Amino acid sequence: MRRPRLRPDTHSYIHLSTIMNSTAPGPRPAQVFLGLFVVWQLTFMVMANYLQLVFPENLVTEDEAADLLAKLPPPGPIEKLTRTAAGCLQSEAGRYAQVTGQGQSWWLFAAYPRQSTFPLIELRWSDPAAFPPVRLHGRFEPENPNAYFHAPGPGDRLFHYEANLTLIHNPWDTERFNSWSWDPEEERKHAETQAETHGRHREQFTPDRPWYQRCQLAHVGDGWSLFCSPWEEERFRTDRERYQRSYLNRAREKWRPALAYMEWQLEQYRQLHPELPMPAEVILYNRVYPTPARGTSPWQWPAPHDHPVFRWHPGETTPAEVFPVEVYDPAAGGFVRVNRSKDSS
Amino acid sequence: MSERKVVGIRPWLPWPLSRIPWWTEPVRAERLAALRIGVGLATLVDVLGHYLPYASAFFGDSSLGASAVFDAQGMDQVWRWSVLRGIHDPTTVKMVLLVWAAVAAGLAAGVGSRLCAFAAWVLGMSFFNLNPFLVNSGDNVRNFLCFYLMLSPCGAAWSVDHWWARQRGAVLEPVFVQPWALRLVFVQMTVLYFMTGVWKLRGGWHSGESPMHYVFGNLGWTRVSYAQLPLPVWAVDATTWITLIWELGFPVLVFMTWTRTLTLWMGVLFHLGTGCLLQLGPFPLYMLCLYLPLVPWEQYISHQNEKAAAPMLAAAAAFAPAGPEDVKN
């Protein structure tokens, strides 16, 4: 568009028709607002995804973030500032995503499960001779792992609930857990054994890799969890107390849906067997089927392992400061009461 | 020269977006309509097929999603909003689910399209936050698609709204819409695939361990046993690498003309395949909705209808004043 020229030979003025012809109608407020919204949406998508990739410590619990950062070189003042700013931005972007339904959690099977996990409920009565324990299997645990069909349909949502439940604690290798030792030589031997069992990729089991490189972030329900199995022993070894605290904190975050699931399963069972008294204990196990190694022939699943996770005593009144369910603590080797407050556990 | 009707507000875009025709040139309204219909039908199937049969197990008192389960977990109630908090009666929950199904049907049919999109977004978000253990990324896709649909003129074509307007002689054919909503959906789709690939890379998919082996071998996620469909090791490895490369390369592959069609078809087949083989709930359905606006629907519209309507449209166009949102061909 040509700019109107001033006429120096007379008074400096611009002819009215020039202005009218040269001035295009400006955008309406609605157009400007919509344009800014489009720009914001583009910025949000890129920013939210980039930040959670580059600063994953803002997505995990405080303990796990501290562990993660402890493995990195100490940050300089600028990096510290950057991380703080990124944390703030991430928090705000997360809130915007929550309010508008634009959660940016795009990692289908990025943290692929190496085992199949199912919830398993065990009902125990105070008189086991009269009422032997009853086990209620998860709805999707196949009776025959070699032949089954999960039809598409109503069960898919329930499957997600059960899957989220069993991801509360990523299962660990019980044998390994029981045989933990602090001898590096034995560590190496175990890695070799694991590598032989699971295939040719020894580096996956080598404890030389920093633990945070072997951990994977996974989205569980409404939050994030850092799964490091089967190498959590390194954390256990370096700081047993912190590991225990971190483990119990995860339990603290997830005990409610676990209790709801135990209550729901118990209610279903009692509707079918109204003649039975209320059981004294309900235990939630994590049933784990290790996936056979690649190329295994004939293909066959090993027997599952059952890891206790929570125990509930129906009808029992618990003090207000502790959870109504007990948590299985692998470090203590049994069920423990957990305080509602993080500081007191 | 013919007039074309462009529905919706034209956003004021800053440079460089304002210089890119992809962001500024109106597109046929059928593209947006296809997305609306797809989202409506997918939601309908989801509500009737997944939620309703287990309604009393998922929501309400003594359920897996009772208010005490997810309300008091330190969640920020303001940001994780739900208009259904406080509903305890399972019958009421079922009624609300039926309303959601009706809204989804209304969205698909295009009856009060934007209002239905808004209601579908509100209800979708509310159920999403009521029991977050039931959901996966497919629900995120549904939520953001409803979000865009309620902000855009999604009922401008292939809808009862459009039919009604045409009966009153209020619209010209063909109808165009501003492209911003469809472009944002496409950018989100690109980010979605690319980031999935990046996270897979971070998760060790390139390590040679063949993660797809663990996916196919998972007794819970798979619909049939791996023992029933034994794949050779090389085929499992191939699926791992193809998935990884396809996801990481999606932004580039889809922008290059000669790879675009193949890339998109691979995506469609990927979601159909995962829907058949894996227990992903409605995830594949909602993901397939993302592909609907990429189909050149306008090419498939009956030429007969357009020819028959041409004289009438020309006459109408001659008398219709060009509004601020009308763009000349």
Side-chain angles (χ1 to χ4, degrees):
Chain A
M1 187 184 301
R2 290 180 61 187
R3 297 182 63 186
R5 296 179 65 182
L6 302 180
R7 298 174 61 177
D9 55 332
T10 58
H11 299 290
S12 296
Y13 71 94
I14 302 172
H15 198 275
L16 183 62
S17 62
T18 309
I19 297 174
M20 291 183 72
N21 291 335
S22 65
T23 308
R28 288 178 289 136
Q31 289 179 288
V32 174
F33 183 78
L34 184 57
L36 292 175
F37 170 74
V38 170
V39 173
W40 160 246
Q41 281 295 113
L42 290 171
T43 310
F44 159 74
M45 283 182 221
V46 174
M47 181 179 72
N49 283 283
Y50 175 78
L51 289 178
Q52 64 190 10
L53 189 70
V54 178
F55 304 102
E57 71 272 15
N58 295 322
L59 300 169
V60 294
T61 64
E62 283 178 23
D63 281 342
E64 289 163 347
D67 284 354
L68 199 61
L69 292 173
K71 301 289 179 183
L72 300 175
I78 294 178
E79 193 188 339
K80 208 170 179 179
L81 193 66
T82 308
R83 285 191 178 277
T84 307
C88 292
L89 276 175
Q90 212 165 348
S91 171
E92 295 310 314
R95 284 176 178 170
Y96 177 73
Q98 283 167 11
V99 168
T100 56
Q102 300 183 78
Q104 302 292 312
S105 49
W106 314 121
W107 37 74
L108 180 69
F109 293 126
Y112 50 95
R114 288 180 171 79
Q115 304 96 349
S116 310
T117 52
F118 302 96
L120 174 68
I121 299 287
E122 186 172 81
L123 308 179
R124 289 183 182 178
W125 283 266
S126 45
D127 182 4
F131 304 102
V134 170
R135 290 196 146 195
L136 308 174
H137 293 262
R139 300 293 172 99
F140 301 93
E141 182 187 342
E143 286 185 21
N144 178 6
N146 293 307
Y148 60 85
F149 176 59
H150 296 309
D156 282 14
R157 292 275 180 191
L158 182 59
F159 169 72
H160 277 73
Y161 196 99
E162 291 194 348
N164 276 324
L165 206 60
T166 51
L167 283 173
I168 293 168
H169 307 282
N170 211 32
W172 59 87
D173 181 342
T174 308
E175 196 183 326
R176 173 72 176 140
F177 188 89
N178 293 335
S179 64
W180 272 346
S181 72
W182 316 142
D183 182 354
E185 188 54 37
E186 283 194 25
E187 292 268 358
R188 247 188 300 281
K189 276 182 191 168
H190 182 80
E192 294 287 356
T193 314
Q194 289 289 309
E196 267 178 35
T197 310
H198 292 271
R200 58 190 167 84
H201 303 290
R202 182 186 175 281
E203 67 276 12
Q204 291 294 314
F205 301 95
T206 306
D208 297 338
R209 289 174 69 190
W211 73 268
Y212 59 87
Q213 284 184 8
R214 296 180 246 135
C215 293
Q216 291 161 356
L217 286 164
H219 194 245
V220 179
D222 61 312
W224 278 81
S225 284
L226 192 66
F227 294 130
C228 305
S229 178
W231 302 284
E232 290 199 343
E233 66 272 15
E234 187 170 323
R235 298 177 70 197
F236 186 93
R237 181 186 50 166
T238 51
D239 191 343
R240 186 183 175 110
E241 193 181 329
R242 167 170 273 182
Y243 171 81
Q244 191 174 13
R245 194 170 66 238
S246 173
Y247 180 90
L248 294 180
N249 279 344
R250 283 195 222 166
R252 182 176 281 108
E253 289 168 6
K254 304 295 179 187
W255 69 269
R256 285 177 193 272
L259 176 59
Y261 185 78
M262 288 192 276
E263 288 174 333
W264 183 70
Q265 284 280 41
L266 176 61
E267 179 60 26
Q268 305 270 313
Y269 183 77
R270 280 173 60 80
Q271 282 179 9
L272 292 173
H273 302 278
E275 74 282 2
L276 293 177
M278 182 68 90
E281 290 181 5
V282 180
I283 299 174
L284 172 65
Y285 292 90
N286 207 353
R287 169 159 278 207
V288 181
Y289 289 86
T291 305
R294 199 166 51 143
T296 300
S297 183
W299 183 267
Q300 198 165 14
W301 272 269
H305 305 288
D306 298 331
H307 303 292
V309 186
F310 289 109
R311 183 169 65 183
W312 169 50
H313 301 274
E316 184 188 74
T317 307
T318 51
E321 66 272 15
V322 298
F323 293 146
V325 293
E326 297 164 313
V327 181
Y328 186 82
D329 182 355
F335 287 99
V336 295
R337 286 277 177 203
V338 180
N339 284 301
R340 288 174 188 265
S341 164
K342 282 186 181 181
D343 300 330
S344 52
S345 64
Chain B
M1 188 168 63
S2 66
E3 295 286 343
R4 62 179 181 181
K5 178 71 178 174
V6 182
V7 182
I9 299 171
R10 184 174 61 197
W12 173 83
L13 294 171
W15 184 90
L17 298 181
S18 59
R19 294 298 187 128
I20 304 171
W22 193 72
W23 281 100
T24 56
E25 275 294 305
V27 294
R28 287 287 290 262
E30 286 81 2
R31 304 258 184 154
L32 191 58
L35 180 65
R36 188 202 75 237
I37 293 167
V39 173
L41 291 177
T43 306
L44 189 64
V45 169
D46 189 16
V47 176
L48 296 180
H50 292 131
Y51 278 113
L52 205 55
Y54 279 96
S56 53
F58 292 160
F59 307 106
D61 277 346
S62 305
S63 76
L64 298 170
S67 57
V69 180
F70 291 106
D71 270 9
Q73 283 198 9
M75 291 180 184
D76 193 335
Q77 295 297 309
V78 177
W79 306 110
R80 295 184 188 280
W81 59 273
S82 170
V83 296
L84 304 176
R85 290 200 203 282
I87 293 181
H88 306 290
D89 177 29
T91 309
T92 310
V93 171
K94 281 182 186 168
M95 295 301 291
V96 178
L97 281 170
L98 287 173
V99 170
W100 192 11
V103 161
L107 184 64
V111 186
S113 306
R114 293 177 76 167
L115 190 63
C116 279
F118 173 70
W121 176 71
V122 170
L123 289 169
M125 288 289 296
S126 296
F127 278 107
F128 182 98
N129 288 328
L130 212 54
N131 191 339
F133 264 35
L134 300 175
V135 303
N136 64 18
S137 294
D139 298 272
N140 275 330
V141 173
R142 182 202 58 229
N143 289 340
F144 80 67
L145 286 178
C146 286
F147 181 69
Y148 285 128
L149 285 174
M150 75 183 189
L151 297 175
S152 57
C154 60
W158 290 351
S159 65
V160 172
D161 294 342
H162 178 243
W163 175 83
W164 180 244
R166 202 167 52 187
Q167 294 299 105
R168 289 181 289 128
V171 289
L172 295 170
E173 301 270 9
V175 180
F176 287 74
V177 292
Q178 296 294 341
W180 63 270
L182 293 176
R183 302 312 183 217
L184 285 175
V185 167
F186 182 76
V187 172
Q188 177 67 84
M189 179 186 184
T190 307
V191 168
L192 185 160
Y193 284 127
F194 179 70
M195 290 310 297
T196 308
V198 170
W199 280 106
K200 283 191 169 97
L201 208 58
R202 178 169 273 200
W205 273 54
H206 61 299
S207 67
E209 196 186 17
S210 194
M212 285 304 284
H213 163 77
Y214 291 100
V215 174
F216 288 137
N218 192 290
L219 294 168
W221 287 102
T222 48
R223 295 200 185 280
V224 292
S225 174
Y226 188 70
Q228 292 168 291
L229 292 171
L231 292 169
V233 172
W234 66 264
V236 176
D237 289 352
T239 56
T240 298
W241 284 106
I242 289 171
T243 304
L244 188 62
I245 292 168
W246 180 81
E247 285 176 342
L248 284 171
F250 188 85
V252 175
L253 294 171
V254 84
F255 268 102
M256 293 194 297
T257 315
W258 61 281
T259 53
R260 184 179 303 150
T261 307
L262 178 65
T263 304
L264 294 175
W265 271 113
M266 281 179 71
V268 170
L269 293 174
F270 171 78
H271 291 299
L272 288 175
T274 53
C276 291
L277 290 174
L278 302 173
Q279 289 205 92
L280 297 175
F283 177 77
L285 274 181
Y286 291 125
M287 288 302 293
L288 286 171
C289 290
L290 294 173
Y291 291 79
L292 292 173
L294 305 175
V295 178
W297 297 103
E298 61 274 11
Q299 291 179 14
Y300 305 131
I301 296 170
S302 166
H303 292 294
Q304 287 294 334
N305 288 346
E306 287 191 351
K307 280 179 185 171
M312 191 173 62
L313 293 172
F319 289 102
E325 298 305 332
D326 288 349
V327 180
K328 290 185 177 180
N329 260 336

